[in-house]
Amino acid sequence: MKLGITGTRNGFTKNQLNSFKTVFKDLQKEGVEEFHQGQCIGVDVESAEWINTFTKGAIPIHSHPPLKQELVGECHVDVTYPKKNYFARNRDIVHASDILIACTPTEVEQPTGGTWYTYRYAVDKGHKVILITPSGKVSYHNF
């Protein structure tokens, strides 16, 4: 399976990270073949680095970088796609993934923000989405 992530530039909360690790380990039992992320500081880079370390590089990390470089972070990457604006590259991550993990910056859905936009886009398109809120609460959509 191909796994993607969207999340806040502020990074994981402690509870979010713990839930992310649990969710990833469960998904890995089903066979994760690729990991797609947006190459920004925060959740993108933190998740890619953790997966690369945890799997000892066994899962290729795919980067979908933004055009604007001020929030780009450094992490191990195996495949890099062309730079695009934030919304376009977020849609690319959704379409490249069988399951999207959305690590939101708030407990309650907000009308603005890239993470919430990407979550709504994926759900509206019928993609499988695992939502992890800052408290670590996990919910499944379109499963």
Side-chain angles (χ1 to χ4, degrees), residues 9 12 24 29 31 45 52 79 81 108 110 124 130 136 139:
R9 71 182 83 157
F12 289 108
F24 180 82
K29 294 173 188 171
V45 169
N52 191 56
V79 179
Y81 296 91
V108 178
Q110 302 296 308
D124 290 348
I130 301 171
S139 57

Side-chain angles (χ1 to χ4, degrees), residues 6-63:
T6 184
T8 172
R9 71 182 83 157
N10 296 325
F12 289 108
T13 65
K14 182 180 178 184
N15 290 335
Q16 249 175 346
L17 180 58
N18 289 336
S19 293
F20 169 76
K21 289 177 179 179
T22 299
V23 165
F24 180 82
K25 290 173 185 176
D26 287 344
L27 292 172
Q28 191 181 24
K29 294 173 188 171
E30 299 175 30
V32 177
E33 300 164 359
E34 296 176 1
F35 183 70
H36 292 260
Q37 49 86 17
Q39 198 61 45
C40 281
I41 59 171
V43 167
D44 292 344
V45 169
E46 291 172 18
S47 60
E49 282 300 292
W50 183 82
I51 287 172
N52 191 56
T53 300
F54 179 74
T55 67
K56 298 178 176 58
I59 296 174
I61 306 295
H62 291 240
S63 171

